Amino acid sequence: MSSETLLAARGVAKSYGSVLALRSADVTVGHGETHALLGANGAGKSTFVKALTGVITRDAGTVTLDGAPVTLRSPADGYARGIAAVFQDPALIPDLTVRDNLRLTATDASTVEQHLAGLDIRGLDLDERVRDIPLPFLRMIDLARALAHRPRLLILDEITAALPADLSEKVFAVMARQRQEGGSVLFISHRLEEVVEHCDMCTVFRDGGDVARFAPKEGREQRIVASMLGDRL
Ligand code: ATP
């Protein structure tokens, strides 16, 4: 394995009861690489991310970070190893203010607040209750929380799906900075133009497994769609 490789996941599998969500997934992400995970709804992307971050336990497969095997048992384990994710569901307590949420759940609330200030989100009031805050702002709060861990691998699971263009641009700026600093990004999105513009490599999932890996700028949207649908390339 090249020393350029940060993440190497091999044969990762997961079933939920009788539902085989992930058959066998191989994903390799290099240092300083922005890597997209693509696939139709239900292809297994979120399950892979959850298995990678310790939210769920994988049934099979190996994961190495910089060549060292890792088995994460919780997201906190992931933070300690340099993996932080923004998941599809916001992880904040609705009846508390943002600030109180951060005090309760963040290792270092002031660092999260600094990252939020850096993201410069107009109209976000940290003293408002989470339940009164629009979803796009909640996604940005989760992003600031992930960044506060200074991850080697930042995982963004469909973050832009809920964002207006101005906030998506802020996410792309974060991705670019992460890459400049030698960190890596695993980016999940159904918006193919975003993937072509902002990602160095992509892995396409279909029916619970990886089926293609290429540079999206070379393959462009046509190849991505063909891989997702299973057409012969
Ligand atoms: P999407 O793009 O819609 O987020 P995905 O590629 O992330 O899809 P997953 O959410 O990983 O796909 O789902 C893979 C399969 O596992 C689907 O068939 C889904 O219905 C199933 N699945 C996911 N979570 C659970 C669960 N908690 N219990 C049972 N089945 C699940």
Side-chain angles (χ1 to χ4, degrees):
M1 188 186 306
S2 151
S3 61
E4 298 299 306
T5 301
L6 171 63
L7 170 80
R10 297 290 176 266
V12 176
K14 175 72 187 176
S15 293
Y16 299 103
S18 60
V19 179
L20 181 58
L22 207 54
R23 216 171 6 92
S24 175
D26 287 8
V27 176
T28 305
V29 181
H31 284 281
E33 183 177 296
T34 298
H35 193 107
L37 215 53
L38 295 157
N41 291 336
K45 306 178 298 294
S46 293
T47 300
F48 176 77
V49 164
K50 287 179 191 163
L52 196 61
T53 49
V55 173
I56 58 175
T57 313
R58 63 180 182 262
D59 297 337
T62 59
V63 176
T64 62
L65 270 184
D66 271 330
V70 288
T71 298
L72 305 178
R73 307 208 179 278
S74 69
D77 253 7
Y79 301 146
R81 299 295 196 120
I83 298 180
V86 176
F87 297 102
Q88 275 181 297
D89 305 317
L92 294 159
I93 302 165
D95 282 338
L96 299 183
T97 66
V98 175
R99 215 182 289 281
D100 285 344
N101 260 282
L102 297 186
R103 283 197 197 114
L104 258 184
T105 57
T107 322
D108 182 356
S110 69
T111 306
V112 181
E113 288 188 29
Q114 280 167 25
H115 279 282
L116 271 175
L119 290 169
D120 186 25
I121 303 159
R122 304 275 156 84
L124 173 62
D125 178 356
L126 298 188
D127 294 313
E128 246 184 293
R129 282 184 204 216
V130 163
R131 67 165 177 231
D132 297 325
I133 293 184
L135 182 61
F137 287 178
L138 299 182
R139 309 316 315 273
M140 298 306 279
I141 293 165
D142 279 345
L143 176 62
R145 289 207 300 186
L147 291 174
H149 293 286
R150 301 183 61 80
R152 292 189 278 174
L153 180 65
L154 173 67
I155 303 175
L156 305 175
D157 192 351
E158 291 194 41
I159 186 170
T160 56
L163 299 184
D166 61 326
L167 293 183
S168 289
E169 287 304 323
K170 289 179 192 283
V171 171
F172 301 141
V174 164
M175 288 163 61
R177 196 172 332 119
Q178 173 85 357
R179 180 209 266 138
Q180 279 158 17
E181 291 172 359
S184 309
V185 180
L186 193 58
F187 180 72
I188 301 177
S189 173
H190 286 291
R191 298 182 177 169
L192 303 186
E193 72 282 2
E194 294 178 350
V195 169
V196 169
E197 188 170 348
H198 299 286
C199 295
D200 308 307
M201 286 298 290
C202 70
T203 297
V204 180
F205 277 22
R206 196 169 66 238
D207 301 332
D210 59 291
V211 291
R213 184 178 194 281
F214 54 92
K217 282 188 178 63
E218 288 162 20
R220 306 208 68 85
E221 295 179 23
Q222 204 180 357
R223 180 162 182 202
I224 297 173
V225 173
S227 316
M228 283 168 58
L229 297 179
D231 295 346
R232 285 212 159 271
L233 301 177

